Structure formats: structure tokens, C-alpha cells
Amino acid sequence: MINLITDQKPWTRNQIRKRAELFIQQEQVHGDETMLARVNDAELLGLRPLTEGERTFRNEQYLPRAIAGGDLAAQMKTANEKLIVAIAHQDALRLFVKMDGLLNGENPLPETVQSLDDEGIEITIPSPAYGAAVAVLDESLGQLTAMTAEDWRLLAQRSSGAVIEDAIELSIAVIRILPTDDLLKAYVEGEGLGSVDRRKSLEDEKARLLLELDPPEIEVVLDETV
């Protein structure tokens, strides 16, 4: 089945169809379907009526399982659409982090570079690499900003590679991957987890929030002299 947490590629239509067929064949083999098709054709053509056993197999075994297989395929299609969106969100976060590092990291791309004009004179022009990075950063940030809290919870679990059932642990996982103070504020305050002081750095506010949500255990030392 489609796993929204661990699957890294969308399923193809053929993969979904095969999975539904395997589900059906857990109770009936391909030969059963072929035989049923032949006896149904014979009945429709007036060659002979269905026997009681054939009618019982069709109505009580084949059709219910076939319908269940169709329902399974429909559910997988819906889940696959969610998976496609989740993968796009994951890619957007990855691109944002990468472009932010190129633009604001320790060795950021220069905004301008030296080039030669038509006469061979050295001139300063906007850096194509810088401009491309800004465009990708803006596009990925737009996708991240449009995400819902539920989208972020799914992305946090995909980033960890496992289901996180505890609500507090899941919120902590989300806070750790939020890449801007605006997104941090929107999630934390929108989910009623506290308030965000945007005067402080993103990392400092994350650290404070994580400490509030998961305070360290206080070790009690007994005085043995008493």
C-alpha cells in the first residue's frame, strides 16, 4: 500500500492496478476469472444457463471481492495524489534550504560579477547564478508558505522517516524543520503552542520553544545525611 511517510516516488497507474489485482487474487486466481467470463458469455449467448455453483461464486465471492479491489484502487489513487503533494513539499523545503545557504551562508554567491562588453571592456553585471538562486528561493518559499499545519506535520514525519504519534513530539519535529521566522510564527501561534518573538534569531526562538515543549527532567538528589 501507499505509505505517505516513507514512499519517495509516486506510484504509477500500472502499479496501483497491479496492487488491486493482487488484492482480488488473494481469494480468487486468474483462472477463476477466465472461467467465469466464459460461462457468463455462454449464458448471455443463450448457450446454457449458469449452474447454481457458478452463480453463487459470481455473486457471493467474485463480485464482492472485485468491488473491494476497485475501492482499494480508488483509495490508493487518492493517497497517491497526497503523496505527490507531500513529495513536492519535501522538494520545496530542500530547495529553499539549499538556495538560502547559497545566498546567505558563510560563502554567499556574489550579487554581481565581472564581464566584458562588446568592446572588450570589463564591466560589472548582475550575477546570473545569484539571480537564479533568488528565483528558486522565492518560488520554494511561496510553496512552503501555502502549506497547512497538517502539511507540515506530514513533512516532519517524512523527514524523520517514521510515524510520530505523540502530538508534542510531532510539534517539536515540525518546529525543527521550519526554515523562516514567519513560518515558525504562523505554525506555533496558529496551533496555540505559544508566541514567537521575531526580534530574536530563528535558531534562538526554536531552542526556546523546544525547551518549553520538552523541558529537561529535574534530577532530585536526596540528602543522605538527614
Side-chain angles (χ1 to χ4, degrees):
M1 291 294 292
I2 292 172
N3 191 317
L4 296 178
I5 306 298
T6 60
D7 285 355
Q8 297 302 315
K9 293 195 300 184
W11 286 44
T12 65
R13 291 177 60 184
N14 193 44
Q15 286 175 316
I16 292 175
R17 181 189 63 80
K18 286 184 176 180
R19 180 63 184 83
E21 288 298 321
L22 286 173
F23 172 79
I24 294 172
Q25 291 170 14
Q26 286 174 357
E27 290 194 6
Q28 57 203 36
V29 298
H30 180 69
D32 292 337
E33 294 187 49
T34 302
M35 184 59 68
L36 180 60
R38 288 174 178 173
V39 297
N40 276 334
D41 288 344
E43 182 188 42
L44 291 171
L45 293 171
L47 299 176
R48 75 168 181 84
L50 291 178
T51 66
E52 187 61 30
E54 290 166 346
R55 193 177 302 278
T56 299
F57 171 73
R58 182 188 67 183
N59 296 342
E60 298 181 12
Q61 291 179 251
Y62 174 77
L63 287 178
R65 191 67 174 184
I67 292 171
D71 290 341
L72 176 65
Q75 293 169 12
M76 292 183 69
K77 181 180 177 182
T78 299
N80 200 44
E81 291 169 353
K82 293 181 180 179
L83 177 61
I84 291 171
V85 173
I87 292 172
H89 290 159
Q90 196 169 24
D91 288 341
L93 180 59
R94 176 181 56 80
L95 284 173
F96 180 88
V97 172
K98 181 178 180 180
M99 294 304 107
D100 185 55
L102 290 176
L103 295 169
N104 304 305
E106 293 184 1
N107 298 297
L109 291 172
E111 296 186 32
T112 61
V113 293
Q114 299 303 116
S115 183
L116 299 177
D117 64 12
D118 294 339
E119 298 179 357
I121 299 175
E122 190 175 77
I123 58 173
T124 300
I125 63 171
S127 167
Y130 183 89
V134 169
V136 173
L137 183 77
D138 290 344
E139 182 179 357
S140 57
L141 179 58
Q143 295 179 49
L144 297 176
T145 302
M147 289 171 57
T148 66
E150 190 60 34
D151 291 333
W152 280 108
R153 284 189 279 270
L154 177 56
L155 182 54
Q157 293 176 95
R158 286 182 60 81
S159 298
S160 69
V163 175
I164 303 175
E165 296 182 350
D166 182 81
I168 295 298
E169 290 183 8
L170 186 51
S171 290
I172 288 172
V174 172
I175 288 172
R176 282 177 174 153
I177 65 172
L178 291 168
T180 72
D181 55 355
D182 285 339
L183 292 171
L184 180 66
K185 181 179 178 66
Y187 181 81
V188 169
E189 297 184 1
E191 294 301 296
L193 299 173
S195 60
V196 173
D197 187 351
R198 297 172 67 176
R199 295 171 300 179
K200 297 181 179 179
S201 72
L202 175 64
E203 294 307 317
D204 285 347
E205 273 300 271
K206 280 187 177 185
R208 180 184 66 79
L209 288 164
L210 294 177
L211 190 61
E212 289 183 359
L213 291 172
D214 186 25
E217 295 183 2
I218 300 176
E219 183 179 354
V220 179
V221 180
L222 297 178
D223 188 350
E224 298 179 355
T225 62
V226 178

